[in-house]
């Protein structure tokens, strides 16, 4: 009995190790493939999100200047808790991780010629793309936060455990949502384009990148607090500064949404995996 259990654990460990190696190999292949088609090479995965983040920071600075606020503050009552860069970066690294995984999944997962092997599954491709997005956004966020803390000498991370938990829960939710969108992306192309545009606008305007929940009037909050990404963003900011108020924000709601999405997506994937087996020699 003991030997059979040890054999099972050994096979399970080897299988997981092999699966991780496959995902990392696909991740490296995807980086190499994109870098050969770009003038800036492998830096493209970092430069593109960085440009968007700097644009958002510029917009928030512009709004704060119009209101007569400090140039270096986040604008409005958030000045008491964060400066502009930390405020935007903390929201961007969470919300855009979800957005990037969802949009890529909606565009479809194609087994291009070098990846067309029985051992490689569509889920492996989604995991590899999510890993690359996670690396890029984590690099940008850590770099920007490190520079801000270095020049302002105001390092603050009150709840590192909560920060890591929120980030991992968001990754789990993004994967679950992405798997669901993979199947949606196989429908009519017009439906895919409409959903993609709706996703872009919903994530940008309801995920709290530009605003804090406590800044909104109480009767307006239900219009945005349905979005679990907003809960992830606000909880991540709260983990940086525990004095930051987060009314109507719930960690339990975020966990519930993540588990429901991820569980449903695994069932959907398990029963319909054959629908995603599509090759493309491009």
């Amino acid at each position: 009995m003991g030997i059979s259990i040890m054999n099972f654990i050994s096979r399970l460990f080897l299988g997981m190790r092999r699966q991780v190696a496959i995902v990392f190999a696909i991740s490296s292949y995807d980086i190499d493939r994109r870098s050969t088609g770009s003038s800036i090479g492998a830096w493209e995965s970092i430069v593109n999100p960085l440009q968007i983040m700097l644009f958002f920071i510029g917009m928030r600075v512009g709004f704060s200047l119009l209101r007569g606020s400090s140039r270096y503050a986040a604008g409005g009552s958030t000045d008491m808790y964060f400066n502009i860069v930390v405020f935007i970066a903390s929201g961007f690294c969470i919300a855009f991780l979800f957005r990037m995984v969802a949009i890529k999944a909606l565009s479809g997962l194609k087994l291009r010629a070098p990846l067309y092997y029985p051992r490689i599954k569509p889920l492996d491709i989604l995991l590899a793309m999510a890993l690359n997005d996670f690396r890029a956004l984590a690099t940008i966020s850590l770099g920007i936060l490190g520079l801000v803390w270095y020049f302002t000498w105001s390092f603050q991370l009150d709840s590192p455990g909560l920060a890591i938990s929120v980030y991992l829960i968001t990754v789990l939710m993004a994967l679950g949502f992405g798997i669901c969108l993979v199947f949606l992306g196989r429908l009519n192309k017009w439906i895919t384009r409409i959903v993609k545009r709706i996703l872009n606008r919903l994530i940008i305007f309801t995920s709290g990148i530009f605003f804090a929940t406590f800044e909104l009037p109480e009767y307006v909050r239900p219009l945005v607090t349905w979005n679990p990404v907003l809960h992830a963003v606000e909880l991540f900011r709260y983990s940086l500064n525990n004095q930051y108020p987060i009314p109507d924000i719930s960690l339990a709601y975020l966990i519930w949404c993540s588990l429901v999405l991820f569980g449903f997506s695994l069932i959907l994937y398990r029963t319909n995996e054959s629908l995603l087996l599509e090759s493309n020699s491009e």
Side-chain angles (χ1 to χ4, degrees), residues 2-263:
I3 297 178
S4 61
I5 294 177
M6 291 299 297
N7 289 336
F8 171 77
I9 294 175
S10 178
R11 289 196 300 270
L12 179 63
F13 177 77
L14 290 175
M16 293 176 61
R17 186 177 178 181
R18 182 170 58 245
Q19 202 63 34
V20 170
I22 290 174
V23 171
F24 274 91
I26 298 174
S27 171
S28 300
Y29 163 76
D30 186 57
I31 292 175
D32 293 340
R33 181 181 60 82
R34 286 188 295 175
S35 63
T36 55
S38 172
S39 59
I40 56 177
W43 288 96
E44 182 184 16
S45 60
I46 295 178
V47 172
N48 288 343
L50 181 61
Q51 289 176 335
I52 300 175
M53 183 187 294
L54 293 177
F55 174 73
F56 286 164
I57 292 174
M59 289 184 61
R60 180 80 187 202
V61 169
F63 290 141
S64 64
L65 288 176
L66 289 175
R67 291 185 299 197
S69 302
S70 170
R71 181 179 179 182
Y72 301 101
S77 51
T78 52
D79 296 357
M80 298 181 291
Y81 309 103
F82 298 109
N83 65 49
I84 174 64
V85 178
V86 174
F87 182 80
I88 295 295
S90 59
F92 184 90
C93 68
I94 295 292
F96 263 67
L97 174 63
F98 187 87
R99 172 192 175 273
M100 291 169 71
V101 174
I103 295 301
K104 288 182 179 179
L106 190 61
S107 301
L109 304 177
K110 295 183 182 297
L111 295 173
R112 290 176 173 80
L115 303 180
Y116 197 52
Y117 296 106
R119 191 181 294 278
I120 297 178
K121 307 297 183 183
L123 182 59
D124 298 330
I125 301 177
L126 180 60
L127 289 172
M129 292 193 302
L131 177 63
N132 288 339
D133 293 336
F134 171 79
R135 284 172 170 173
L137 291 175
T139 301
I140 293 171
S141 303
L142 291 175
I144 288 180
L145 293 177
L147 287 173
V148 170
W149 287 332
Y150 175 78
F151 286 108
T152 62
W153 204 249
S154 59
F155 176 83
Q156 186 173 11
L157 181 58
D158 292 344
S159 303
L162 178 61
I164 295 173
S165 299
V166 168
Y167 215 105
L168 293 178
I169 292 171
T170 304
V171 171
L172 194 69
M173 182 170 61
L175 287 174
F177 192 62
I179 293 172
C180 295
L181 289 182
V182 168
F183 292 94
L184 181 62
R186 296 189 59 80
L187 300 177
N188 187 279
K189 291 184 178 180
W190 288 104
I191 296 178
T192 302
R193 292 176 182 176
I194 293 172
V195 172
K196 188 180 295 187
R197 291 187 179 183
I198 292 175
L199 274 175
N200 274 318
R201 284 153 181 76
L202 279 178
I203 292 175
I204 290 176
F205 294 110
T206 67
S207 60
I209 299 177
F210 296 106
F211 63 87
T213 308
F214 75 90
E215 291 179 315
L216 302 176
E218 189 172 354
Y219 62 87
V220 176
R221 290 173 193 163
L223 299 177
V224 294
T225 51
W226 61 266
N227 186 353
V229 180
L230 172 64
H231 291 253
V233 168
E234 291 288 79
L235 285 166
F236 188 75
R237 287 173 178 155
Y238 175 79
S239 71
L240 299 178
N241 183 354
N242 288 167
Q243 301 300 317
Y244 179 73
I246 50 173
D248 301 326
I249 298 299
S250 170
L251 178 61
Y253 177 73
L254 175 62
I255 294 174
W256 182 85
C257 290
S258 299
L259 292 179
V260 169
L261 268 176
F262 191 69

Side-chain angles (χ1 to χ4, degrees), residues 251-277:
L251 178 61
Y253 177 73
L254 175 62
I255 294 174
W256 182 85
C257 290
S258 299
L259 292 179
V260 169
L261 268 176
F262 191 69
F264 176 75
S265 66
L266 288 181
I267 295 173
L268 187 65
Y269 178 82
R270 184 67 177 176
T271 56
N272 299 277
E273 180 183 359
S274 59
L275 297 177
L276 300 180
L277 295 178

